[in-house]
Structure formats: structure tokens, C-alpha cells
Amino acid sequence: MADVAARAGVSRALVSLVFRDARGPSAETRAHVLRVAGEIGYRLDPTARLLRSSRSRLLGVVLDIRNPFHADLVDGLHAAAERAGYRVALGAVTPGRVAGRAAGDLLESRCEGVVLLGSAMPAGGVSGLADRAPVVVMGRRAGDTGADVVRTADADGAGAAVDHLVALGHRDVVHVDGARLPGSADRRRGYRAAMRRHGFAGRARVLPGDGTEDAGVRAALTLRSGGPLPTAVVMYNDRSAVGLLDALLRAGVDVPAEVSVVGYDDSSLARMTHVDLTSVGQDAAGMAAAAVDLLVERLDGGRRAARDVVLPPHLVVRGTTGPRPLPAGARGPPVVALLPDERAP
């Protein structure tokens, strides 16, 4: 500021008033000072400015760098935070770095609140964070932890996948779940409920998974070694669905002519041209905006009671689902015998 003042021919105090956008300097003087600052390359340091106050206006986001859907959420969080006058700092979860460590580092870096993206952090860990700062958990239930929640109605999403496949004539629909990963229990419950609603409870089959590409490969090996292939598979997420697609392709199984596959998330993976995956979509932009709104309500509005925001899913049909294949020797399209209470989209 002293350099700007000397070159502009004004006092350092006046430069300070201009940089703080305070009242006093005329419009002409303000324009002159800012022009001189630009000429000598002076840039305001927002971090240094915030350090002088009790606010950082910085939101921490904990994400798994291996999860493609998290990238979509981060994009939305940056945009929503900027609209609210906040910035975003990222804390990565890796095989050697757990979510609790990432969140703790963000709070030590003066983040005012934390968003946990699809974290499997135990309830005790979430409660501990919520005691230190406002926390939003995205993609799962949080129980009585004091944290706000933004999630998709996952049971409805899995049910919509089954409804879509049944409408195409499929009866043998298998689900590969995500074990204890966020949303897995709701998606598993939605799958079972839909199979029961369509009268196929006896055909319901759930295989273990973990949300990775390897889980999809293992599921393909299990399905191919256990008798006739099912005609359709609903996966826990897009990432595991891509693993299944790759394994089926290598085994010479045609998708969707022989097996239809549905993923979950409608992430960038699903939208890739060579993947073209039918997937249950989550509203990434809407989820991100809701998460930022919840943090701002806590930080700027003083709200204390936890909220649970649930957004509806939507099915995005692409090239990995098609009609149930005809039995050997059969002719004509498969007959779809709907039950009286069946609700096909």
C-alpha cells in the first residue's frame, strides 16, 4: 500500500480506504488509486484480509478422489459457494488418508464448515466434527449426529431401475450392492421392494460388492460361474457397473442383447460415449446448492436444529439396457405379463 500511495501521490490511509471500499474517497480518487495499483501489479490478498477478521468464509469439502460422482458434486459446490460469498477448500480421502484426518486438517486451516461427500465415517466421528463446526453429510443418512444431511431418495432410485427393466420384459434381475457404503442399504431395500411389488420376490438376488470396478469384475465372474446368466443387473454405482461391462465384454457377453446393466449416479463415467450406461441420476447441482444453503443457514443465520434434505432421483436411459432376450427357439417379442399392482413407468 505504501508503494501505491507513493506512486499515486496520496496517503497510505487513503489507499487503505479505497482497498477496503470504505466511505470517504471520491469516485475520481478511487479510480485513480485502483488504476495505479493495477499498473504496478498490486493485488489484494483475500486470505490476508480475512485473517484480520474472525471469519474465513471458507468451506471445507472432504471427497474421495477415486469417485467420479464426487467431481460432479465439487463442481456444483464451488459454484454454489461463490454465489453465497464463500470459497471452497478440498480435503482428499485416499487409501492411506481417512475422512476424519482430511476433515480435521480443513478445520485447522480455518474452514468454517465441512461437507462430507459420501463418507463412511462412523456416527461418532461425524458427531465429533459437528461439535467443532457445522457439518453437512451428503449421500447418506447421518442419524442423531447433529449434522445436516443432503441425499437422494436412493430406495426410489433402485426401484426405478427395476421398474425400467421389468417394463422391458426382464424377470431375472440381480443387484450388486455396495456393502456398507453410503446409500447401499436404501438401494438394496428399494431393489427388494420393487422385485416384490412386481411379483418376483423369489427371483431377487443380491451379490456383495464394494463400489469399485473390481466389484463389477467379481460380480461378472460369479454370475458366469453360477448357471445361466441373469438377463439384467442393477449395480450399486456407475464405477462398479463399468467393471461389470468390461468383464462381460471380455467374456464375449453382449450388452444389452444378452444382459442389460443399470448403474447409479449418472456420473461422467456413465456419460462417456463408449460406455453409454443407463444410470439412476442424482441431481448433483441441486445437492450441492442445498449443502451450501444449509451451511450458510448455520453460519450466517444461526440455525441449530439439524435438517435432512432428500431430493428425487431420475432414470437416464442409454445403450446398456434393452428388451429381455428371447429363450432359445422362441420367436417374437417376449410377453410381458404385468401383475394388477405393477407400476411400470
Side-chain angles (χ1 to χ4, degrees), residues 90-115:
L90 303 180
V93 175
T94 68
R97 190 167 188 259
V98 298
R101 168 80 179 277
D105 288 349
L106 289 170
L107 291 180
E108 290 176 5
S109 299
R110 300 190 75 239
C111 287
E112 295 188 42
V114 174
V115 181

Side-chain angles (χ1 to χ4, degrees), residues 273-294:
T273 304
H274 71 284
V275 176
D276 198 31
L277 176 67
T278 294
S279 183
V280 178
Q282 302 193 71
D283 181 3
M287 294 175 72
V292 170
D293 286 346
L294 290 173

